[in-house]
Amino acid sequence: MQKNILIGVTGGIAAYKVVEVASRLKKSGANVRVMMTRNAAEFVSPRTFQEITGNAVSVEMFGDAANFHVAHIALADFADAILIAPATANFLAKAAYGIADDLLTTTVIASDKPLLIAPSMNTKMFDNPATQANLNILRERGAIILEPATGELACGTSGKGRLPEPVEICAAVEKFFDSGNLRGKKILVTAGGTVEAIDPVRYIGNRSSGRMGYEIARAAVAAGAEVVLISGKSELEPPLGLKFVKVEAAVEMREAVLAEFDSVDAVIMSAAVADYRVKNPAAQKIKKSADTLTLELVKNPDILRELGGLKKSQVLVGFAAETQNVLDYARKKLVEKNLDFIVANDVTAAGAGFSVATNIASIIWRGGDVENFPKMSKAELADKIIERVADLLSGDKKFLPL
Ligand code: C5P
């Protein structure tokens, strides 16, 4: 999510959970700034948020935020949206009535940006008619209120008032910004490399980091789609707001993909699926003995080719990671696998391929058109791929004969 998010932390015990919110938003690509009330700074040190976000944290109306001349105006200008989490009853009352007695509340009133509020407090405080009336005032003015969860509260009681889990808060922020290009559509993305067991300890793997596929899944969520990400091996944190399915071997990935295929509008198959697997993986760890060891490999199912045969109205997108004759090989795969378009790249080129954050790709369409892209971040390329899938699904781009 390439957005500027201003998080306002008020003085509730749940403030510690917002450290994870800031961290997740930052990892998803957002530029995050944090402002805190003095009470909040009693619960979590501003320094923690500073380290997590890489940005100075503002608490005082006067004195800190050295680069900001008029701090509350600068913070309000910075934000694409303001998230208040946790929001105390005191904050809700002040925001409802326009009281501006510290940096945080002054920034809120100085802002015309979207306001997302995650209240968190004891159930009686939440249910108090004053709090409910304040929430209604804020709602009527367009604030998005994230309903508190029900469960155990810090005060030892149980009831409504818990701050929602950080993933849920982040998903709500992500959803708020979705472009809507894929709203109502379900998209299946595969990513990462498959892991083919040799014995319980070793495996055959590949250099795929999962980065391209995770970016595509993120871009699909950002376009408003319901997204299923089926991932082989990857060290990355899954993007927010999607169904995440972790698999190991190609055979397992095939099953997971086929289980979703009938219900999806498009499949983007960016996983690096092993072409072969070990015929008889050993049940116990193979011991070192002879000088040579021979593994017999058998061919894995070609998942995308199978989907190409089953395809009804689904858009199918494949990847061709090559080391030579990139366009020729890619075209061949497009036809063999009955794809709508294929994303081809030379994985040996500098700034392209495995693990790096950039890619240099071409898109080859059914019908033969080729789009050559300059070097760009995988996030940007993912946005381009998702735009094209959205164009095909909305009819802005025609389905072409092979
Ligand atoms: O044939 P090749 O492996 O080069 O094709 C690459 C494309 O096919 C990728 O989109 C990859 O995810 C998919 N694929 C697959 N099943 C395989 C091998 C590749 O779905 N066994």
Side-chain angles (χ1 to χ4, degrees), residues 330-382:
R331 230 175 243 120
K332 194 161 162 275
K333 281 177 197 172
L334 173 100
V335 175
E336 276 173 9
K337 304 188 189 207
N338 192 19
L339 308 179
D340 293 281
F341 65 83
I342 190 159
V343 186
N345 65 317
D346 179 344
V347 288
T348 62
F354 305 114
S355 299
V356 293
T358 53
N359 216 340
I360 308 166
S362 302
I363 285 184
I364 300 153
W365 290 85
R366 279 170 96 96
D369 283 356
V370 178
E371 290 181 84
N372 292 310
F373 297 114
K375 179 159 119 183
M376 59 178 68
S377 70
K378 286 183 176 169
E380 282 172 276
L381 182 59

Side-chain angles (χ1 to χ4, degrees), residues 269-271 273-275 301-304 318-319 322 333 337:
M269 192 81 202
S270 79
V273 185
D275 291 329
D302 187 324
I303 305 168
L304 193 50
F319 274 75
E322 302 292 346
K333 281 177 197 172
K337 304 188 189 207

Side-chain angles (χ1 to χ4, degrees), residues 245-260:
V245 182
K246 189 99 189 176
V247 295
E248 293 209 325
V251 174
E252 230 183 290
M253 181 171 279
R254 172 181 174 273
E255 268 173 33
V257 167
L258 289 179
E260 299 284 351

Side-chain angles (χ1 to χ4, degrees), residues 80-387:
D80 292 313
I82 302 179
L83 166 69
I84 308 293
T88 55
N90 182 47
F91 167 79
L92 299 176
K94 288 201 270 184
Y97 287 93
I99 294 171
D101 63 353
D102 60 10
L103 179 77
L104 188 148
T105 47
T106 309
T107 304
V108 168
I109 202 169
S111 161
D112 55 2
K113 306 293 175 56
L115 185 60
L116 290 87
I117 299 176
S120 168
M121 64 201 73
N122 160 279
T123 311
K124 287 197 175 118
M125 291 170 84
F126 185 72
D127 287 341
N128 188 297
T131 304
Q132 288 301 317
N134 293 333
L135 277 169
N136 278 336
I137 290 174
L138 292 164
R139 232 181 242 119
E140 275 163 23
R141 280 193 210 129
I144 296 167
I145 311 294
L146 312 185
E147 281 299 307
T150 300
E152 260 183 51
L153 301 172
C155 51
T157 59
S158 186
K160 192 166 180 179
R162 271 173 72 88
L163 191 72
E165 290 308 309
V167 280
E168 291 166 38
I169 296 178
C170 294
V173 176
E174 192 91 26
K175 198 161 184 56
F176 175 78
F177 283 113
D178 86 45
S179 69
N181 289 346
L182 282 178
R183 200 162 294 147
K185 303 292 182 195
K186 186 170 174 187
I187 309 292
L188 171 58
V189 182
T190 67
T194 64
V195 167
E196 310 295 333
I198 296 171
D199 67 17
V201 180
R202 290 87 167 207
Y203 62 83
I204 299 175
N206 60 65
R207 291 185 192 280
S208 169
S209 64
R211 211 152 170 169
M212 193 64 239
Y214 280 46
E215 286 294 352
I216 292 169
R218 183 227 16 102
V221 171
E226 179 188 348
V227 179
V228 182
L229 172 59
I230 298 177
S231 176
K233 190 171 164 54
S234 171
E235 303 301 324
L236 300 173
E237 282 243 351
L240 310 168
L242 48 70
K243 176 175 165 192
F244 183 67
V245 182
K246 189 99 189 176
V247 295
E248 293 209 325
V251 174
E252 230 183 290
M253 181 171 279
R254 172 181 174 273
E255 268 173 33
V257 167
L258 289 179
E260 299 284 351
F261 189 59
D262 283 344
S263 70
V264 302
D265 297 289
V267 179
I268 303 162
M269 192 81 202
S270 79
V273 185
D275 291 329
Y276 293 90
R277 69 177 178 278
V278 178
K279 186 174 180 189
N280 294 310
Q284 304 298 334
K285 184 179 171 189
I286 300 172
K287 302 307 288 179
K288 184 167 41 180
S289 55
D291 284 349
T292 61
L293 174 70
T294 306
L295 293 174
E296 191 181 351
L297 304 181
V298 291
K299 210 164 194 178
N300 262 333
D302 187 324
I303 305 168
L304 193 50
R305 192 182 187 131
E306 196 172 339
L307 300 185
L310 295 171
K311 159 174 160 149
K312 295 190 186 88
S313 58
Q314 291 96 334
V315 167
L316 280 190
V317 178
F319 274 75
E322 302 292 346
T323 55
Q324 56 181 344
N325 302 334
V326 179
L327 292 187
D328 288 346
Y329 282 136
R331 230 175 243 120
K332 194 161 162 275
K333 281 177 197 172
L334 173 100
V335 175
E336 276 173 9
K337 304 188 189 207
N338 192 19
L339 308 179
D340 293 281
F341 65 83
I342 190 159
V343 186
N345 65 317
D346 179 344
V347 288
T348 62
F354 305 114
S355 299
V356 293
T358 53
N359 216 340
I360 308 166
S362 302
I363 285 184
I364 300 153
W365 290 85
R366 279 170 96 96
D369 283 356
V370 178
E371 290 181 84
N372 292 310
F373 297 114
K375 179 159 119 183
M376 59 178 68
S377 70
K378 286 183 176 169
E380 282 172 276
L381 182 59
D383 288 338
K384 297 218 176 292
I385 292 167
I386 286 300
E387 266 170 37

